[in-house]
């Protein structure tokens, strides 16, 4: 399949769910398509030790670049930063040959030394972390790659608007961006995430169980939910996620051929004194 580095998607409008400093909206202006990516990392991350702020470049785990399905499904995006949770309809997209996404609507990553890490994806989703460069998100510009390794985590996906009436699927071990610290200057800037998920269906929609653990040095924290119902094409929020506390924002992606992907943006307190944010996805199939 032939892919273009820049894709402009004409989509039906959806209402964006915004919180904290979040922002949405489209950007129809031309976007530079000559950017390069370095430091791309595998979605599962590497073990972190106290003070570990480095990314380990590995081969990106991308099967195929993201694209709109033949069914014309409206795509969605989610962007997560230190004080940002932004989600909405995906109107424009720029994706590099490595699979790293560098533009979602008006949210962009630019610069000659930009780096997208933790890259994963296929034709139904793309996931990663903006680790280095100049990020424009929700109208604010920030420089990534400093001592505290400020970052933005993202996922773009095809939403699950049609669900089975019943049944249970088995979920894989998950794909994760490395969680980044948003508090406590003495805590490691980067951690590593692990987790598990379960998915079933009933008349109300999808029922998910998700447990996520972030470990950074000697600090460990877990956030979880059980029996959380997600209506078709919708999302669910647990805990104090929208108030910059422990919790998750959960939604369901359509991976085709009866497969679904649980998408979890999360915040978790590790060791009782450091908050970390990241994104996890779980592919579920029969």
């Amino acid at each position: 399949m032939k892919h273009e580095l820049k894709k402009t998607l004409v989509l039906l409008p959806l209402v964006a769910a915004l919180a904290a400093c979040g922002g949405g909206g489209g950007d129809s202006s031309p976007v530079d398509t000559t950017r390069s990516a370095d430091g791309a990392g595998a979605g599962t991350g590497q073990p972190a030790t106290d003070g570990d702020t480095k990314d380990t470049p590995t081969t990106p785990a991308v099967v195929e670049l993201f694209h709109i399905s033949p069914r014309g499904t409206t795509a969605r995006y989610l962007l997560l930063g230190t004080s940002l949770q932004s989600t909405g309809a995906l109107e424009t997209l720029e994706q590099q040959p490595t699979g790293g996404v560098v533009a979602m609507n008006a949210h962009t990553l630019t610069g000659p030394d930009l780096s997208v890490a933790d890259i994963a994806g296929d034709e139904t989703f793309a996931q990663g972390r903006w680790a280095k460069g100049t990020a424009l998100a929700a109208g604010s510009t920030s420089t990534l790659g400093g001592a505290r390794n400020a970052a933005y985590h993202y996922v773009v996906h095809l939403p699950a608007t049609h669900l089975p009436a019943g049944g249970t699927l088995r979920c894989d071990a998950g794909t994760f961006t490395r969680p980044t610290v948003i508090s406590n200057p003495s805590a490691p800037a980067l951690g590593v995430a692990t987790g598990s998920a379960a998915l079933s269906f009933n008349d109300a929609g999808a029922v998910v169980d998700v447990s996520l653990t972030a470990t950074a040095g000697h600090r460990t924290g877990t956030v979880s939910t059980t029996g959380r119902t997600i209506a078709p094409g919708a999302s669910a929020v647990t805990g104090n996620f929208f108030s910059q506390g422990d919790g998750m924002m959960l939604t369901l992606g359509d991976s085709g051929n009866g497969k679904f992907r649980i998408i979890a943006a999360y915040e978790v307190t590790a060791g009782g004194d450091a908050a970390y944010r990241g994104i996890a996805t779980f592919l579920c199939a029969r």
Side-chain angles (χ1 to χ4, degrees):
M1 179 176 292
K2 180 180 179 181
H3 299 286
E4 297 179 355
L5 299 188
K6 177 181 176 183
K7 304 175 183 179
T8 302
L9 313 177
V10 180
L11 304 170
L12 297 175
L14 290 180
V15 177
L18 305 176
C21 299
D27 181 4
S28 59
S29 59
V31 181
D32 179 17
T33 62
T34 62
R35 304 170 195 163
S36 63
D38 74 6
T44 53
Q46 300 294 325
T49 59
D50 207 28
D52 177 13
T53 62
K54 302 297 183 181
D55 289 309
T56 303
T58 56
T59 302
V62 174
V63 177
E64 183 177 353
L65 297 186
F66 177 82
H67 65 81
I68 293 300
S69 74
R71 300 188 301 276
T73 302
T74 301
R76 304 282 294 181
Y77 79 91
L78 191 157
L79 184 65
L80 181 68
T82 300
S83 58
L84 167 72
Q85 308 100 343
S86 178
T87 180
L90 185 64
E91 298 169 353
T92 59
L93 169 74
E94 183 182 345
Q95 188 174 19
Q96 299 171 315
T98 57
V101 173
V102 293
M104 295 165 284
N105 297 359
H107 309 298
T108 61
L109 180 67
T110 60
D113 59 347
L114 71 82
S115 174
V116 182
D118 308 337
I119 297 171
D122 58 25
E123 68 273 18
T124 66
F125 89 111
Q127 178 178 337
R129 170 171 53 88
W130 291 354
K132 189 175 183 180
T134 300
L136 174 62
S140 297
T141 301
S142 57
T143 300
L144 309 182
R148 294 307 300 151
N149 200 36
Y152 287 91
H153 307 254
Y154 70 82
V155 63
V156 296
H157 65 98
L158 301 178
T161 56
H162 298 85
L163 305 180
T168 299
L169 304 185
R170 298 184 63 179
C171 302
D172 67 8
T175 301
F176 310 89
T177 61
R178 289 191 67 177
T180 51
V181 71
I182 63 170
S183 67
N184 192 339
S186 65
L190 282 168
V192 65
T194 57
S196 61
L199 175 64
S200 61
F201 300 94
N202 60 28
D203 292 341
V207 181
V208 302
D209 300 344
V210 177
S211 180
L212 299 169
T213 297
T215 301
H218 63 275
R219 296 171 173 85
T220 298
T222 298
V223 61
S224 62
T225 187
T226 58
R228 178 68 59 166
T229 298
I230 305 175
S235 59
V237 176
T238 74
N240 296 313
F241 180 74
F242 274 169
S243 300
Q244 288 192 271
D246 285 17
M248 293 179 278
M249 180 177 177
L250 301 165
T251 192
L252 200 64
D254 187 348
S255 291
N257 299 317
K259 300 178 182 179
F260 296 90
R261 190 174 301 274
I262 298 173
I263 297 166
Y266 68 91
E267 180 173 330
V268 59
T269 300
D273 64 353
Y276 287 81
R277 285 189 162 194
I279 288 177
T281 61
F282 300 88
L283 182 63
C284 306
R286 294 191 183 280

